[in-house]
């Protein structure tokens, strides 16, 4: 089912806690996207405190906009987003995406996949998790969600069993991208 979110899952929470805006908005955006949804987000309407004439002129050095650019680039230039579906059931070793009472657990991870072709796994605060990878050889890379910097893992052999992956650090959130080798 197509999902389109305007205000939810933390995308506007940054209005009330500006000191956490960069991380909150980025995490919410990745969570919504890897759940197969789309979203809108801007600093217009409640958070914006500049002149009205500047509402649509996003600053080039804005940390939130830059982080959302990383997400946008991955989804539009790196993967075939419209073929991918949420597949967090392929993950192990990280908490469920949401606790029963709706609270966000510590360091969740989310997966989106076109199984056998490409996979994306978002992991808050780095750390490790397992992923059931369909048989085949995949080119793998870690992407820093703050900067877009990449660290190649080279070729990864999938066998249908769960493989363990460990993010390069716990200093940021990471996305693991796996694409079937040609």
């Amino acid at each position: 089912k197509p999902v389109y979110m305007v205000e939810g899952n933390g995308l506007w929470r940054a209005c009330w806690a500006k000191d956490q805006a960069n991380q909150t908005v980025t995490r919410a955006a990745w969570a919504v996207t890897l759940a197969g949804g789309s979203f809108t987000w801007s600093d217009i309407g409640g958070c914006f405190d500049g002149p009205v004439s500047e509402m649509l002129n996003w600053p080039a050095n804005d940390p939130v906009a830059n982080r959302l650019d990383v997400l946008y680039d991955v989804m539009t230039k790196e993967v075939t987003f419209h073929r991918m579906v949420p597949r967090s059931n392929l993950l192990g070793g990280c908490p469920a995406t949401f606790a029963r009472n709706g609270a966000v657990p510590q360091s969740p991870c989310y997966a989106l996949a076109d199984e056998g072709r490409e996979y994306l796994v978002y992991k808050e605060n780095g750390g490790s998790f397992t992923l059931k990878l369909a048989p085949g050889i995949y080119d793998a890379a870690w992407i820093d969600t703050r900067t877009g910097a990449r660290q190649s893992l080279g070729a990864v052999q999938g066998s249908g069993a769960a493989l363990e992956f460990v993010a390069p650090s716990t200093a940021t959130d990471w996305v693991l991208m796996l694409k079937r080798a040609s």
Side-chain angles (χ1 to χ4, degrees), residues 117-180:
R117 292 191 179 137
E118 53 191 352
Y119 299 78
L120 285 177
V121 177
Y122 172 78
K123 179 69 171 90
E124 288 185 10
N125 301 318
S128 64
F129 58 87
T130 61
L131 173 65
K132 287 184 185 175
L133 200 54
I137 298 173
Y138 300 86
D139 293 322
W142 287 103
I143 303 170
D144 181 330
T145 63
R146 290 178 309 178
T147 66
R150 294 162 190 260
Q151 294 186 24
S152 176
L153 288 174
V156 172
Q157 177 73 49
S159 66
L163 297 174
E164 182 175 26
F165 293 92
V166 180
S169 77
T170 56
T172 188
D173 300 341
W174 292 91
V175 169
L176 174 65
M177 181 172 63
L178 298 128
K179 296 180 81 172
R180 183 86 176 213

Side-chain angles (χ1 to χ4, degrees), residues 15-125:
C15 294
W16 307 301
K18 288 197 180 226
D19 59 324
Q20 298 174 2
N22 299 345
Q23 191 171 30
T24 301
V25 171
T26 305
R27 285 179 171 175
W30 278 101
V32 168
T33 304
L34 269 65
S38 300
F39 65 91
T40 56
W41 181 86
S42 71
D43 207 7
I44 299 171
C47 293
F48 188 80
D49 56 5
V52 173
S53 62
E54 293 297 314
M55 282 181 142
L56 299 177
N57 296 325
W58 207 260
N61 63 348
D62 182 85
V64 174
N66 292 341
R67 289 177 184 210
L68 293 180
D69 284 346
V70 173
L71 170 62
Y72 177 81
D73 287 345
V74 168
M75 293 302 162
T76 60
K77 298 174 184 172
E78 302 287 342
V79 297
T80 311
F81 178 56
H82 70 275
R83 288 196 326 214
M84 301 176 86
V85 295
R87 292 308 306 253
S88 291
N89 61 312
L90 299 174
L91 296 171
C94 57
T97 54
F98 285 91
R100 223 172 242 232
N101 64 1
V104 178
Q106 295 295 340
S107 301
C109 53
Y110 310 92
L112 190 67
D114 179 3
E115 284 188 76
R117 292 191 179 137
E118 53 191 352
Y119 299 78
L120 285 177
V121 177
Y122 172 78
K123 179 69 171 90
E124 288 185 10
N125 301 318

